[in-house]
Amino acid sequence: MKRLLVRRLSKLADAIPRERNNPPLPRMPPFDHKPLPYEGPTAAEILKKRAEFLSPSMFCFYKKPLNIVEGKMQYLFDEDGRRYLDAFAGIATICCGHCHPKVVKAITSQTKCLQHSTIVYLNHAITDFAEALASKMPGDLKVVFFTNSGTEANELAIMMARLYTGCHDIISVRNAYHGNAAGTMGATAQNNWKFNLMQSGVHHAVNPDPYRGLFGSDGEKYARDVQEIINFGTSGQIAGFISEAIQGVGGIIELAPGYLPAVYKTIKKAGGLCIADEVQSGFARLGSHFWGFEAHGVVPDIVTMAKGIGNGIPLGAVVTTPEIAQVLTRRSYFNTFGGNPVCTAGGLAVLRVLEEEKLQENAYIVGSYMKDRIRTLQEKHNIIGDVRGRGLMLGVELVTDHQQKIPAKTEILHVMDHMKEMGVLVGKGGFHGNVFRITPPLCFTKEDADFFVDVMDIALSKL
């Protein structure tokens, strides 16, 4: 009772009218959902346990971390029942929206029937989803291997490239992010904020960053570095090249135009395979295309995916050609939980929701609208150095000097806190930690976009 009373008093304090000289806050779009009463531990109690029992490498956004207890579509609710517009969880896991009823129904229905059947028995859930997933792929990409995460998917893709080619050397792009295991950490390491782990056989190419890169938007000039790595860093042959279409953790960086076609041509000539990491940019997020690599006019040999594929459940996948897939018969590859009936039933439901609710079209329309509105903020706030991205995968880089592009690392934290207080949650990333990562669920509306931009405008003004 005491805890509930404290929360009610806190709500009353938040409801006190603002002083007359302060501008009115933007109004969050109406939403017909009432969160369930919460009587669990408080944020402070959870934080105390977390400090004692969880990994010290874990971190929280915001000076005062949020205790999120419920989610519905594009909104989240804290322990006090306060609603927040979620402009970040789309890239983390949520594609269709938090607790989408059709996805929830598919998962719970399968859970009531069968949770796990292991790989030595038949079950239609895994084959139904594999068939549906293959139908979204170009060319001969139609053999699916299911995993539990994007890390596992990328590890498997790298191993397949090495087995198929008989080579060990892998090329990845600096500032990329491919996962948390040894191999993917090695592919991520060079010039990335998160890891500093080097691994034999992994080479890092110059990042084709149109904003900060040496060659601006000339993708072919960046691509020459890949050829030089092959010429001088390997035997002249290569196992594979792995790249995101848009760098997610790296700061929503679009690869310079012409880069991927030129690199793919170079890799093919050296006998290697091209791996497209679609863990963050795939599944209709870009709006203009279902997969990020399609926006570059290339067809990879292997495609990896996760996060949005399961709308919040642990699910990843690797898709390749029948010829390349055969290499895993030499190693009798299997994954105990990858492709279990519960997760694949959920994955199939996600694909159906994307199509039925035309979420790819929505991502294009709403994302383009929001990007244009943010660009108007760039004209007003000098701290905005760059606005980039496609669909509902947008980045806003803050700098304190446009000429030298000095990262506004401290300022972005203040803006995030101000936005949270006004009811908007947004992510950050980039090598310097100065880029807003705007990646909401694909059910985001124009009204949500207006609210987001208006809140960001006020928060930037407070600087």
Side-chain angles (χ1 to χ4, degrees), residues 205-255:
V206 170
N207 189 27
D209 180 351
Y211 181 61
R212 290 184 174 273
L214 181 63
F215 303 118
S217 295
D218 192 334
E220 293 188 7
K221 286 185 178 179
Y222 293 106
R224 293 172 190 167
D225 188 50
V226 173
Q227 183 65 67
E228 290 185 7
I229 289 173
I230 295 172
N231 291 343
F232 303 109
T234 73
S235 62
Q237 292 183 307
I238 199 78
F241 168 81
I242 183 170
S243 174
E244 304 159 272
I246 295 181
Q247 293 177 351
V249 174
I252 316 296
I253 294 175
E254 296 183 81
L255 307 187

Side-chain angles (χ1 to χ4, degrees), residues 296-318:
H296 293 267
V298 297
V299 177
D301 301 293
I302 304 173
V303 182
T304 64
M305 61 201 74
K307 297 189 186 298
I309 184 176
N311 208 55
I313 55 176
L315 179 62
V318 177

Side-chain angles (χ1 to χ4, degrees), residues 302-357:
I302 304 173
V303 182
T304 64
M305 61 201 74
K307 297 189 186 298
I309 184 176
N311 208 55
I313 55 176
L315 179 62
V318 177
V319 185
T320 190
T321 66
E323 181 184 357
I324 296 172
Q326 279 295 317
V327 299
L328 290 189
T329 60
R330 306 175 198 167
R331 294 293 185 272
S332 187
Y333 172 82
F334 67 93
N335 190 312
T336 303
F337 289 98
N340 70 76
V342 173
C343 289
T344 48
L348 182 58
V350 169
L351 274 183
R352 287 173 175 166
V353 168
L354 287 174
E355 293 172 355
E356 291 170 3
E357 300 185 5

